[in-house]
């Protein structure tokens, strides 16, 4: 949402605010039931939206003006999330930590989102998925499970991500380990007597190894937000990025969009770390043998490009017994991640039951 423009989606029939209907390509009016179609992007628009941007230009802050925007955002005073509200919404609880926030007047020049994956799951389906996930956690407090199922609605958030492409060529040095076996004689005790037996002992011969591997990386995904633990969001993967659509404010109607707080340079460094893990696997396969030791890998990155995209996440931040629990639901697939709360009395009960069972088994064994 630009500083000089506030997007609104008035109903053609009654003038009330419309909202995007997950899983569809239309805006729905909750007041009168009117439905308005979201125009389909032309092929040229698809090509532009899903095209790659030059990484070097992005890092120099030298992108075309059309690729930049100045959104009106509000940082959460508690967790620092950079939240942009849509439509007539100007106040809410922060979806990441449940702190009240009110939209301000701050602006920040940022790279514009090129594309997004629209929500496929509505709030009810996301809540059902979260309820099933919580219900499967036996040690979760019953009160929290019920509160989460019957509490306030989940927040639908478009979360910022970077995707990176690169061609890599890596020179490496290391060692290849090859197993061989030697026979040795050992003493063993059998029925109180010592016997001499032969056994095979595995050893490893190491040989120097060096070479090159190459790989083409496509859409290495990096979370561009610090509001959620990376383990949560990585646990929501995989995403089907073939469902990306050109960015249109219409898809944000009734939802919240978060601005990125991990910049392009830091995101690229995280992507390089992810690529390095894959390259190390390639190197081990190239070294071969039974074991591998890697001494050094020198990687050259070229043809580097990126996209800025938004992905749909349903978010719940529940305060229970003075503690905040956060849960996230993949708005495309329904996969759930979150903090795993534990009930002290359930754990104590399980310990007592286990002790009783063990005691019963010992008693039966002693009296057979």
């Amino acid at each position: 949402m630009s500083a000089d423009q506030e997007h609104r989606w008035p109903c053609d029939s009654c003038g009330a605010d419309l909202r995007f209907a997950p899983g569809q390509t239309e805006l729905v009016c909750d007041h009168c039931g009117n439905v308005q179609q979201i125009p389909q992007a032309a092929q040229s628009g698809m090509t532009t939206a899903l095209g790659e941007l030059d990484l070097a230009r992005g890092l120099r802050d030298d992108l075309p003006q059309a690729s930049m925007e100045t959104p009106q955002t509000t940082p959460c005073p508690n967790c620092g999330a950079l939240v942009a509200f849509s439509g007539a919404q100007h106040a809410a609880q922060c979806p990441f930590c449940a702190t009240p926030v009110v939209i301000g007047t701050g602006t920040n020049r940022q790279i514009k989102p090129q594309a997004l994956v629209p929500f496929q799951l509505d709030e009810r389906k996301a809540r059902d998925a979260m309820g099933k996930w919580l219900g499967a956690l036996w040690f979760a407090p019953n009160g929290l499970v019920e509160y989460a199922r019957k509490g306030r609605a989940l927040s639908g958030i478009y979360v910022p991500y970077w995707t990176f492409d690169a061609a890599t060529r890596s020179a490496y040095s290391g060692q290849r380990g090859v197993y061989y076996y030697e026979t040795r004689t050992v003493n063993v005790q059998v029925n109180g007597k010592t016997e001499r037996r032969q056994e095979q002992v595995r050893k490893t011969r190491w040989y120097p190894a060096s070479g090159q591997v190459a790989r083409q990386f496509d859409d290495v995904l990096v979370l561009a937000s610090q509001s959620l633990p990376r383990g949560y969001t990585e646990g929501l993967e995989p995403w089907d990025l073939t469902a990306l659509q050109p960015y249109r404010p219409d898809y944000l109607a009734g939802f919240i969009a978060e601005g990125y707080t991990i910049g392009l340079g830091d995101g690229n460094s995280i992507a390089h770390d992810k690529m390095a893990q894959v390259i190390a696997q390639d190197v081990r396969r190239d070294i071969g043998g039974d074991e591998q030791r890697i001494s050094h890998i020198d990687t050259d990155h070229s043809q580097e490009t990126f996209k800025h995209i938004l992905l749909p996440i349903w978010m719940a931040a529940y305060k229970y017994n003075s503690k905040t629990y956060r849960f996230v639901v993949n708005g495309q697939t329904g996969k759930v991640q979150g903090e795993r709360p534990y009930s002290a009395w359930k754990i104590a009960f399980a310990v007592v039951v286990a002790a009783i069972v063990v005691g019963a088994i010992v008693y039966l064994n002693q009296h057979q």
Side-chain angles (χ1 to χ4, degrees):
M1 182 165 56
S2 300
D4 58 354
Q5 180 184 13
E6 183 179 279
H7 290 294
R8 294 180 180 275
W9 297 269
C11 173
D12 288 343
S13 177
C14 69
D17 285 329
L18 299 169
R19 62 174 177 81
F20 171 65
Q24 304 177 52
T25 57
E26 57 193 27
L27 300 174
V28 177
C29 178
D30 290 330
H31 183 70
C32 70
N34 183 40
V35 174
Q36 296 176 202
Q37 292 295 319
I38 297 176
Q40 292 295 308
Q43 185 58 45
S44 59
M46 290 288 291
T47 302
T48 301
L50 303 183
E52 302 292 332
L53 297 176
D54 183 73
L55 178 64
R57 291 192 64 180
L59 293 175
R60 292 197 307 265
D61 194 18
D62 186 33
L63 292 172
Q65 188 60 37
S67 297
M68 306 300 294
E69 66 175 354
T70 308
Q72 188 176 17
T73 55
T74 298
C76 172
N78 182 46
C79 71
L82 199 60
V83 179
F85 296 100
S86 60
Q89 188 178 23
H90 289 80
Q93 284 187 317
C94 173
F96 300 98
C97 66
T99 299
V101 291
V102 178
I103 194 166
T105 59
T107 61
N108 184 27
R109 186 170 184 267
Q110 292 192 324
I111 298 172
K112 185 185 300 183
Q114 296 166 245
L116 55 78
V117 172
F119 275 88
Q120 293 299 307
L121 274 68
D122 60 22
E123 196 269 343
R124 181 185 60 79
K125 291 180 180 177
R127 178 180 293 279
D128 289 345
M130 189 183 72
K132 290 178 182 177
W133 183 82
L134 279 171
L137 303 179
W138 197 86
F139 288 119
N142 291 335
L144 176 62
V145 175
E146 289 304 311
Y147 178 65
R149 286 175 175 169
K150 300 177 181 179
R152 66 181 179 85
L154 278 66
S155 298
I157 310 165
Y158 282 102
V159 177
Y161 279 80
W162 304 109
T163 73
F164 295 94
D165 293 2
T168 62
R169 184 169 294 276
S170 305
Y172 70 84
S173 60
Q175 292 178 300
R176 178 189 304 109
V178 179
Y179 294 152
Y180 69 97
Y181 294 85
E182 291 183 350
T183 302
R184 69 179 182 183
T185 302
V186 297
N187 294 327
V188 297
Q189 294 293 320
V190 179
N191 296 326
K193 297 180 180 180
T194 301
E195 294 184 2
R196 293 177 63 80
R197 292 184 179 178
Q198 291 184 330
E199 66 178 14
Q200 295 289 307
V201 179
R202 191 183 77 185
K203 295 190 174 182
T204 305
R205 288 191 180 95
W206 292 98
Y207 303 92
S210 61
Q212 287 190 348
V213 296
R215 178 175 281 270
Q216 189 78 35
F217 287 94
D218 180 50
D219 284 343
V220 176
L221 198 62
V222 175
L223 175 68
S225 166
Q226 296 173 309
S227 306
L228 291 172
R230 194 166 298 277
Y232 286 12
T233 54
E234 289 182 350
L236 296 181
E237 297 178 11
W239 296 87
D240 178 12
L241 297 186
T242 64
L244 281 169
Q245 294 292 318
Y247 174 84
R248 293 181 61 96
D250 307 65
Y251 289 112
L252 271 61
F255 293 94
I256 296 171
E258 185 190 8
Y260 62 80
T261 52
I262 293 178
L264 181 61
D266 290 337
N268 185 234
S269 296
I270 296 171
H272 279 193
D273 290 341
K274 286 190 168 187
M275 294 177 191
Q277 296 175 22
V278 177
I279 292 169
Q281 295 173 359
D282 291 345
V283 167
R284 292 187 182 279
R285 282 192 292 269
D286 201 60
I287 290 176
D290 299 307
E291 291 186 31
Q292 303 83 33
R293 291 174 177 169
I294 300 175
S295 303
H296 179 72
I297 299 177
D298 184 18
T299 298
D300 176 63
H301 299 79
S302 62
Q303 303 173 38
E304 292 190 273
T305 58
F306 76 96
K307 292 193 298 290
H308 175 30
I309 65 173
L310 302 177
L311 297 181
I313 290 178
W314 287 102
M315 171 79 190
Y318 292 103
K319 287 188 176 180
Y320 179 76
N321 284 349
S322 301
K323 179 176 174 57
T324 299
Y325 295 92
R326 293 179 296 177
F327 310 101
V328 288
V329 182
N330 184 315
Q332 184 184 42
T333 66
K335 194 172 183 180
V336 182
Q337 292 290 308
E339 291 167 293
R340 294 178 174 265
Y342 296 95
S343 167
W345 78 263
K346 282 189 177 181
I347 295 174
F349 178 73
V351 171
V352 171
V353 170
I356 292 173
V357 171
V358 171
I361 292 174
V362 171
Y363 177 84
L364 292 174
N365 289 336
Q366 290 177 345
H367 291 80
Q368 282 183 346

